[in-house]
Amino acid sequence: MTDRYCVFGHPIGHSKSPAIHAAFAEQTGEAIEYTAIEAPLDDFAGAWRDFVAAGGRGANVTVPFKEEAYRLCDELTPRARRAGAVNTLLLMADGGIRGDTTDGAGLVGDLERHGVALAGARVLVLGAGGAVRGVLEPLLEAGPASLHIANRTAAKARALGEDFADLGRVSGSGFDAVEGPFEVVINGTSASLAGDLPPLPDALFAPGATAYDMMYGAEPTVFLRWAQARGARGIDGLGMLVGQAAESFHLWRGKRPDVTPVLEALRRSL
């Protein structure tokens, strides 16, 4: 019997995850079925139970259910507990649910593939929501000289910085108090989805800096266009998407797929 996996979201029709995991399965010789399921906004837990009853073994979870998935778990990895959100569910042998978050590993792995040095770098992260919270621990484990969180609501950025201050030199502020330059700037806001840009100073980038947007598209996002016009190298979040999926696949199947050919094929399809 083929093992079943899925991605839960609302909406979910746009998801690239089924194509990514189908490619991973073919590459590794694993017999799995992976589908996209639009869970009801008011009953994510019910959608998970129905999936398990139909033979589901594990799932990815995207917006807006990552916090609900966290609360559903019987067991959490340390990084998921720290993030307060889960994007990967695994059905354990005893029927319990194990939760993990692979977004941060996907981000750091993509930065490494592009040759971006985080160790000793001054890093700026834009946004203070769940997407940012989920990547802070892996970023700080890479050993930056400092990491600053900037958000429209300054108090939220400062509170998030305090939550992770034990892992390194972390601070937070509103967008209006950001002072560069930075070697790495990561946009973790959803502004790119609406074609918007956080209010940022022009003098943000150090020479040779990298700008990374967690969003992606066929064309550079408005944030990446803005950053490139100011001399930064721009990288979108497609590699993060494929990288976090590879981490989930490894958790479920014990095999680590090669990200590069899947990422290249996905890029061509945009």
Side-chain angles (χ1 to χ4, degrees):
M1 180 176 165
T2 301
D3 290 335
R4 296 188 63 200
Y5 300 88
C6 77
V7 56
F8 288 109
H10 192 110
I12 200 61
H14 65 287
S15 176
K16 307 288 187 187
S17 293
I20 293 169
H21 284 277
F24 288 163
E26 182 178 4
Q27 182 191 114
T28 59
E30 292 291 296
I32 71 167
E33 175 188 323
Y34 188 107
T35 57
I37 297 176
E38 185 168 296
L41 291 173
D42 59 352
D43 194 18
F44 169 74
W48 165 258
R49 287 194 298 269
D50 290 345
F51 179 65
V52 170
R57 296 282 305 277
N60 288 127
V61 183
T62 188
V63 292
F65 299 120
K66 291 185 180 184
E67 287 76 21
E68 285 186 70
Y70 177 91
R71 294 191 291 271
L72 196 64
C73 292
D74 302 294
E75 179 183 305
L76 294 162
T77 63
R79 62 187 180 183
R81 184 175 295 107
R82 186 88 198 220
V86 156
N87 80 332
T88 305
L89 297 173
L90 172 65
L91 185 67
M92 297 186 291
D94 63 359
I97 307 166
R98 188 168 196 255
D100 197 3
T101 180
T102 64
D103 288 331
L107 169 62
V108 172
D110 196 36
L111 289 168
E112 291 173 348
R113 276 191 298 277
H114 284 90
V116 178
L118 289 169
R122 291 164 293 180
V123 177
L124 172 66
V125 180
L126 307 175
V132 168
R133 188 175 188 93
V135 304
L136 288 179
E137 182 176 18
L139 283 173
L140 288 164
E141 286 177 345
S146 62
L147 188 150
H148 187 77
I149 304 161
N151 189 55
R152 198 171 301 276
T153 304
K156 191 172 182 181
R158 286 194 292 268
L160 191 55
E162 290 169 3
D163 286 348
F164 286 82
D166 60 306
L167 300 181
R169 187 180 166 194
V170 190
S171 55
S173 73
F175 290 127
D176 59 349
V178 172
E179 295 182 2
F182 299 92
E183 282 81 30
V184 181
V185 179
I186 299 168
N187 182 21
T189 74
S190 58
S192 290
L193 292 175
D196 294 330
L197 186 71
L200 299 167
D202 284 332
L204 197 64
F205 301 103
T210 295
Y212 192 100
D213 198 330
M214 291 187 190
M215 303 294 115
Y216 66 89
E219 301 296 330
T221 65
V222 63
F223 168 73
L224 292 183
R225 292 197 303 271
W226 179 85
Q228 289 166 336
R230 286 153 183 79
R233 177 173 63 147
I235 304 170
D236 73 11
L238 191 64
M240 176 181 172
L241 173 69
V242 180
Q244 64 81 24
E247 289 290 320
S248 295
F249 191 91
H250 178 254
L251 289 168
W252 294 327
R253 310 303 297 179
K255 294 183 179 179
R256 192 174 295 280
D258 183 0
V259 167
T260 301
V262 180
L263 178 55
E264 290 174 349
L266 196 60
R267 179 73 68 188
R268 290 193 297 270
S269 74
L270 291 179

